[in-house]
Amino acid sequence: MSSAGNRTLWRFLLCFALTYALLILPWPGFPAAYHSFFRLLLRAAFAPGNGPRELGFNSLKPEHGRSLVRIEITNRTLMAPDGSGPVRNLVVDTGGFWRATALLLALIVVTPVAWRRRISAVLSGCLWLHGGILLIVGFSIWNESRHVSLVLLSPFWQTLADRIQRMLLSGLNLAAPVLLWMLVTFRREDFAGMKLWLPGGLAFPPNPVRPG
C-alpha cells in the first residue's frame, strides 16, 4: 500500500474511532431518552391485538451499563381470572441497539463522500436498522412464545429457531451496521476510486469522491 493510501486509511480509522467513542459516551439523559423511545417503538410495533397473545413492556433497573426492557409474553387462554398464569420473559438491551446505531452513524459520517449523501445515508440507514431490529425482536417474541403454548415446534425446529435467534441478536453488534453502511452509503462508481490491497484491506482515495 502506498504511503498516501496508508495515511488515508489511518485517518479514516482514527476519525471513526473518535466519532464512535463520542456517540456511545453516556451523555446525561441520553441513554434514558433512547431507552424510552425504543420501549415506545416496541409498544407501537407489537400493539396488543384480539388474539391469545398478550405482551407487556417494562423497564428494568440498568445493570453493567445495559438498559433493559423486559417483554412479558402471556397466553390469555392460560391466564386465571385473578391474572395468574404462565409468563415468558424476554429481556432486550436497548443500549446494545444504540451501540449498533452509533456504529452505523460513525461509519457513515466519516466516509469521504458528499455531505448530502451522508445525511441521506444516515436517514435511510437508521430506518433500515431499526426496522431490522424490530423484525429480530418480533422473531424472538414468536420463538419465545412457544414456552406459553402459543407456538408449537418439534425439538429439531426449536433448536434451529434458538440458534437463529442467537445469530440474529449477535449480528446486530457488528454485521448489520457494517452491511448497512456499505449498502446505503456507496454507489457503484465509488468503488472505482478505491483500491483493494492484500493483505491491507480497503483503502479510501486521498481525495473525497466526486459529489453525486
Side-chain angles (χ1 to χ4, degrees):
M1 183 185 296
S2 67
S3 59
N6 264 322
R7 287 194 300 270
T8 302
L9 179 58
W10 281 111
R11 184 167 61 248
F12 170 82
L13 293 175
L14 178 61
C15 291
F16 160 74
L18 290 174
T19 304
Y20 179 69
L22 286 172
L23 287 172
I24 63 172
L25 282 176
W27 299 102
F30 182 81
Y34 183 82
H35 177 85
S36 298
F37 157 75
F38 208 90
R39 190 177 61 170
L40 290 174
L41 186 61
L42 289 173
R43 285 178 173 172
F46 304 104
N50 297 323
R53 188 182 71 185
E54 184 174 359
L55 301 175
F57 302 91
N58 300 301
S59 296
L60 299 179
K61 183 179 179 180
E63 57 180 42
H64 308 297
R66 302 170 68 206
S67 299
L68 306 176
V69 172
R70 182 177 61 208
I71 304 175
E72 298 175 349
I73 309 169
T74 58
N75 186 340
R76 289 189 178 102
T77 63
L78 301 180
M79 303 302 288
D82 62 357
S84 61
V87 177
R88 180 66 177 181
N89 292 323
L90 171 65
V91 177
V92 296
D93 178 16
T94 61
F97 298 156
W98 169 246
R99 287 188 290 273
T101 305
L103 176 59
L104 174 64
L105 291 175
L107 286 168
I108 294 174
V109 167
V110 302
T111 301
V113 297
W115 274 104
R116 183 178 61 184
R117 286 175 54 184
R118 293 187 221 190
I119 294 172
S120 176
V122 164
L123 295 176
S124 60
C126 287
L127 181 63
W128 281 105
L129 180 61
H130 284 79
I133 291 173
L134 289 178
L135 287 175
I136 292 172
V137 173
F139 177 84
S140 301
I141 291 173
W142 172 83
N143 185 39
E144 298 294 332
S145 294
R146 73 175 190 263
H147 296 283
V148 289
S149 302
L150 288 167
V151 175
L152 298 178
L153 296 175
S154 68
F156 169 79
W157 290 111
Q158 289 179 22
T159 302
L160 181 61
D162 287 339
R163 289 179 179 175
I164 292 174
Q165 180 178 329
R166 288 193 297 269
M167 179 185 67
L168 291 174
L169 289 172
S170 63
L172 281 173
N173 297 328
L174 179 62
V178 172
L179 179 60
L180 275 174
W181 165 59
M182 298 180 68
L183 290 175
V184 302
T185 306
F186 297 107
R187 299 175 182 173
R188 181 181 300 177
E189 59 267 25
D190 293 333
F191 294 96
M194 299 179 181
K195 295 180 180 180
L196 188 63
W197 302 87
L198 297 176
L202 191 63
F204 290 102
N207 299 317
V209 177
R210 178 173 53 87

